[in-house]
Coordinates of all heavy atoms in Angstrom, one line a residue:
I1 N 147.5 160.3 54.8 CA 146.4 161.2 55.2 C 145.1 160.6 54.7 O 144.1 160.5 55.5 CB 146.5 162.6 54.6 CG1 147.8 163.3 55.2 CG2 145.3 163.5 55.0 CD1 148.1 164.6 54.7
L2 N 145.0 160.1 53.5 CA 143.8 159.5 53.0 C 143.4 158.3 53.8 O 142.2 158.1 54.0 CB 144.0 159.1 51.5 CG 143.8 160.1 50.4 CD1 144.2 159.5 49.1 CD2 142.4 160.6 50.4
S3 N 144.4 157.5 54.3 CA 144.0 156.4 55.1 C 143.3 156.7 56.3 O 142.4 156.0 56.8 CB 145.3 155.6 55.4 OG 146.0 155.2 54.3
E4 N 143.6 157.9 56.9 CA 143.0 158.4 58.1 C 141.5 158.9 57.9 O 140.7 158.8 58.8 CB 143.8 159.4 58.8 CG 145.2 158.9 59.2 CD 146.1 160.0 59.6 OE1 145.7 161.2 59.6 OE2 147.3 159.7 60.0
L5 N 141.2 159.5 56.8 CA 139.9 160.0 56.6 C 139.0 159.2 55.7 O 137.9 159.6 55.4 CB 140.0 161.4 56.0 CG 140.8 161.6 54.6 CD1 139.8 161.4 53.5 CD2 141.3 163.0 54.5
I6 N 139.5 158.0 55.3 CA 138.8 157.2 54.3 C 137.5 156.7 54.8 O 137.3 156.3 56.0 CB 139.7 156.1 53.8 CG1 139.4 155.7 52.3 CG2 139.6 154.9 54.6 CD1 140.4 156.1 51.4
S7 N 136.5 156.7 54.0 CA 135.2 156.0 54.2 C 134.7 155.5 52.9 O 135.3 155.8 51.8 CB 134.2 157.0 54.8 OG 133.8 158.0 53.9
K8 N 133.6 154.8 52.9 CA 133.1 154.2 51.6 C 132.8 155.3 50.6 O 133.1 155.2 49.5 CB 131.9 153.4 51.9 CG 131.4 152.7 50.6 CD 130.2 151.7 50.9 CE 129.8 151.1 49.6 NZ 128.7 150.1 49.9
S9 N 132.1 156.4 51.1 CA 131.8 157.5 50.2 C 133.0 158.2 49.7 O 133.1 158.6 48.5 CB 130.8 158.5 50.8 OG 131.4 159.0 52.0
N10 N 134.0 158.4 50.6 CA 135.2 159.0 50.2 C 136.0 158.2 49.2 O 136.6 158.8 48.2 CB 136.1 159.3 51.4 CG 135.6 160.4 52.3 OD1 134.8 161.3 51.8 ND2 136.0 160.4 53.5
I11 N 136.0 156.9 49.4 CA 136.7 156.0 48.4 C 136.1 156.2 47.0 O 136.9 156.4 46.0 CB 136.5 154.5 48.8 CG1 137.3 154.3 50.1 CG2 137.0 153.6 47.7 CD1 137.1 152.9 50.7
E12 N 134.8 156.2 46.9 CA 134.2 156.4 45.6 C 134.5 157.7 45.0 O 134.8 157.8 43.8 CB 132.7 156.2 45.7 CG 132.3 154.7 46.1 CD 130.8 154.6 46.3 OE1 130.1 155.6 46.4 OE2 130.4 153.5 46.5
Q13 N 134.5 158.8 45.8 CA 134.8 160.1 45.3 C 136.3 160.2 44.9 O 136.6 160.8 43.8 CB 134.6 161.1 46.4 CG 133.1 161.4 46.7 CD 132.9 162.3 47.9 OE1 133.9 162.9 48.4 NE2 131.7 162.4 48.4
I14 N 137.2 159.7 45.7 CA 138.6 159.7 45.4 C 138.9 159.0 44.1 O 139.6 159.5 43.2 CB 139.5 159.2 46.5 CG1 139.3 160.1 47.7 CG2 140.9 159.1 46.1 CD1 139.9 159.5 49.0
E15 N 138.4 157.8 44.0 CA 138.6 156.9 42.8 C 138.1 157.6 41.5 O 138.8 157.7 40.5 CB 137.9 155.6 42.9 CG 138.6 154.6 43.9 CD 137.9 153.3 44.0 OE1 136.7 153.3 43.8 OE2 138.5 152.3 44.4
S16 N 136.9 158.2 41.6 CA 136.3 158.9 40.5 C 137.0 160.1 40.1 O 137.3 160.4 38.9 CB 134.8 159.2 40.8 OG 134.2 159.9 39.7
F17 N 137.5 160.9 41.1 CA 138.2 162.1 40.9 C 139.5 161.9 40.2 O 139.8 162.5 39.1 CB 138.3 162.9 42.2 CG 139.0 164.2 42.1 CD1 138.3 165.3 41.6 CD2 140.3 164.4 42.4 CE1 138.9 166.5 41.5 CE2 141.0 165.6 42.3 CZ 140.2 166.7 41.8
V18 N 140.3 161.0 40.8 CA 141.7 160.8 40.2 C 141.6 160.1 38.9 O 142.3 160.4 38.0 CB 142.5 160.0 41.2 CG1 143.9 159.7 40.6 CG2 142.7 160.7 42.5
T19 N 140.6 159.1 38.7 CA 140.5 158.4 37.5 C 140.1 159.4 36.4 O 140.6 159.3 35.2 CB 139.4 157.3 37.6 OG1 139.8 156.4 38.5 CG2 139.1 156.7 36.2
G20 N 139.2 160.3 36.6 CA 138.8 161.3 35.6 C 140.0 162.1 35.1 O 140.2 162.4 33.9
I21 N 140.9 162.5 36.1 CA 142.1 163.3 35.7 C 143.1 162.5 34.9 O 143.6 162.9 33.9 CB 142.8 163.9 37.0 CG1 141.8 164.9 37.6 CG2 144.1 164.6 36.6 CD1 142.3 165.3 39.0
L22 N 143.3 161.2 35.3 CA 144.1 160.3 34.6 C 143.7 160.1 33.1 O 144.5 160.1 32.2 CB 144.2 159.0 35.3 CG 145.1 158.9 36.6 CD1 144.9 157.6 37.3 CD2 146.5 159.1 36.3
K23 N 142.4 159.9 32.9 CA 141.8 159.7 31.6 C 141.9 161.0 30.8 O 142.0 160.9 29.5 CB 140.4 159.2 31.7 CG 140.2 157.8 32.2 CD 138.8 157.3 32.2 CE 138.7 155.9 32.7 NZ 139.4 154.9 31.9
T24 N 141.8 162.2 31.4 CA 141.9 163.4 30.7 C 143.4 163.6 30.2 O 143.6 164.0 29.0 CB 141.6 164.6 31.6 OG1 140.2 164.5 32.0 CG2 141.8 165.9 30.9
V25 N 144.3 163.4 31.0 CA 145.7 163.6 30.7 C 146.3 162.5 29.8 O 146.8 162.8 28.7 CB 146.6 163.8 32.0 CG1 148.1 164.0 31.6 CG2 146.1 164.9 32.8
F26 N 146.1 161.3 30.2 CA 146.7 160.1 29.5 C 145.6 159.6 28.6 O 145.0 158.5 28.9 CB 147.3 159.1 30.4 CG 148.3 159.7 31.3 CD1 148.0 160.0 32.7 CD2 149.6 159.9 30.9 CE1 149.0 160.5 33.5 CE2 150.6 160.4 31.7 CZ 150.3 160.8 33.0
F27 N 145.2 160.3 27.6 CA 144.0 160.1 26.8 C 144.0 158.8 26.1 O 143.0 158.2 25.7 CB 143.9 161.2 25.8 CG 145.0 161.3 24.8 CD1 145.0 160.7 23.6 CD2 146.2 162.0 25.2 CE1 146.1 160.7 22.7 CE2 147.3 162.1 24.3 CZ 147.2 161.4 23.1
D28 N 145.2 158.2 25.8 CA 145.3 157.0 25.0 C 145.6 155.8 25.9 O 145.8 154.7 25.3 CB 146.5 157.1 24.0 CG 147.8 157.4 24.6 OD1 147.8 157.8 25.8 OD2 148.9 157.2 24.0
R29 N 145.4 155.9 27.2 CA 145.6 154.8 28.1 C 144.3 154.6 28.9 O 143.7 155.6 29.3 CB 146.8 155.0 29.1 CG 148.1 155.4 28.4 CD 148.7 154.2 27.7 NE 149.2 153.3 28.7 CZ 150.4 153.3 29.2 NH1 151.3 154.3 28.9 NH2 150.8 152.3 30.1
D30 N 144.0 153.4 29.2 CA 142.7 153.1 29.9 C 143.1 153.0 31.4 O 143.0 151.9 32.0 CB 142.1 151.9 29.4 CG 140.6 151.7 29.9 OD1 140.2 152.6 30.6 OD2 140.0 150.7 29.6
F31 N 143.4 154.1 32.0 CA 143.8 154.1 33.4 C 142.6 154.3 34.4 O 141.7 155.0 34.0 CB 144.8 155.2 33.7 CG 146.2 155.0 33.3 CD1 147.0 156.0 32.7 CD2 146.8 153.7 33.4 CE1 148.3 155.8 32.3 CE2 148.1 153.5 32.9 CZ 148.8 154.5 32.4
S32 N 142.7 153.7 35.5 CA 141.8 153.9 36.6 C 142.6 153.9 37.9 O 143.6 153.3 38.1 CB 140.7 152.9 36.7 OG 139.9 152.9 35.5
F33 N 142.0 154.7 38.9 CA 142.7 154.8 40.2 C 141.8 153.9 41.2 O 140.6 154.1 41.3 CB 142.7 156.2 40.7 CG 143.4 156.4 42.0 CD1 144.8 156.2 42.1 CD2 142.8 156.9 43.1 CE1 145.5 156.3 43.3 CE2 143.4 157.1 44.3 CZ 144.8 156.8 44.4
V34 N 142.5 153.0 41.9 CA 141.7 152.0 42.7 C 142.2 152.1 44.1 O 143.5 152.2 44.4 CB 141.9 150.6 42.2 CG1 141.2 149.6 43.1 CG2 141.4 150.5 40.7
V35 N 141.3 152.1 45.1 CA 141.6 152.2 46.5 C 141.1 150.9 47.2 O 139.9 150.6 47.0 CB 141.0 153.4 47.2 CG1 141.4 153.5 48.7 CG2 141.4 154.7 46.5
E36 N 141.9 150.2 47.9 CA 141.5 149.1 48.7 C 141.8 149.3 50.1 O 142.9 149.7 50.5 CB 142.3 147.8 48.2 CG 141.9 147.3 46.8 CD 142.6 146.0 46.4 OE1 143.4 145.5 47.3 OE2 142.3 145.6 45.3
V37 N 140.8 149.1 51.0 CA 140.9 149.4 52.4 C 140.7 148.2 53.2 O 139.8 147.4 53.0 CB 139.8 150.5 52.8 CG1 139.9 150.8 54.3 CG2 140.0 151.8 52.0
S38 N 141.6 148.0 54.2 CA 141.4 146.9 55.2 C 141.4 147.5 56.6 O 142.0 148.6 56.8 CB 142.6 145.9 55.0 OG 143.8 146.5 55.2
E39 N 140.8 146.8 57.5 CA 140.7 147.3 58.9 C 141.3 146.3 59.9 O 141.0 145.1 59.8 CB 139.3 147.6 59.3 CG 138.7 148.8 58.6 CD 137.4 149.2 59.2 OE1 137.2 149.0 60.4 OE2 136.5 149.7 58.5
K40 N 142.2 146.7 60.7 CA 142.8 145.9 61.8 C 142.7 146.6 63.1 O 143.3 147.7 63.2 CB 144.2 145.5 61.4 CG 144.3 144.6 60.2 CD 145.8 144.2 60.0 CE 145.9 143.3 58.8 NZ 147.3 142.9 58.5
R41 N 142.0 146.1 64.1 CA 142.0 146.7 65.4 C 141.5 148.1 65.3 O 142.2 149.0 65.9 CB 143.3 146.6 66.1 CG 143.8 145.1 66.4 CD 145.1 145.1 67.1 NE 145.5 143.7 67.3 CZ 146.7 143.3 67.8 NH1 147.5 144.3 68.2 NH2 147.0 142.1 68.0
D42 N 140.5 148.4 64.6 CA 139.9 149.7 64.5 C 140.7 150.7 63.7 O 140.5 151.9 63.7 CB 139.5 150.3 65.9 CG 138.5 149.4 66.6 OD1 137.6 148.9 65.9 OD2 138.6 149.3 67.8
A43 N 141.8 150.2 63.1 CA 142.7 151.1 62.3 C 142.5 150.7 60.9 O 142.5 149.5 60.5 CB 144.1 150.9 62.7
K44 N 142.4 151.8 60.0 CA 142.2 151.5 58.6 C 143.5 151.7 57.9 O 144.3 152.5 58.1 CB 141.2 152.6 58.0 CG 139.8 152.4 58.6 CD 138.9 153.5 58.0 CE 137.5 153.3 58.6 NZ 136.6 154.4 58.1
N45 N 143.7 150.7 56.9 CA 144.9 150.8 56.1 C 144.4 150.8 54.6 O 143.6 150.0 54.2 CB 145.7 149.5 56.4 CG 147.0 149.5 55.5 OD1 147.7 150.5 55.5 ND2 147.2 148.4 54.8

């Protein structure tokens, strides 16, 4: 679903949102959530 609605602003929001939760829960680990998007024939992956 995320692949279908993804945009640059959404990517930053999603990464920040999930990363914040990961850092809250797994307090002793330096986790981050990373999204990489590629486009082929007008389709986003």
Side-chain angles (χ1 to χ4, degrees):
I1 297 175
L2 274 176
S3 300
E4 296 172 357
L5 58 85
I6 209 111
S7 68
K8 184 176 181 180
S9 61
N10 286 337
I11 290 174
E12 294 172 353
Q13 289 176 7
I14 294 166
E15 288 180 334
S16 176
F17 182 75
V18 178
T19 295
I21 295 171
L22 286 170
K23 290 185 180 296
T24 296
V25 177
F26 303 101
F27 61 94
D28 58 345
R29 308 285 292 271
D30 192 4
F31 284 142
S32 297
F33 185 65
V34 179
V35 182
E36 292 184 359
V37 179
S38 59
E39 291 191 30
K40 291 183 179 179
R41 297 179 182 178
D42 298 326
K44 293 179 180 178
N45 181 51

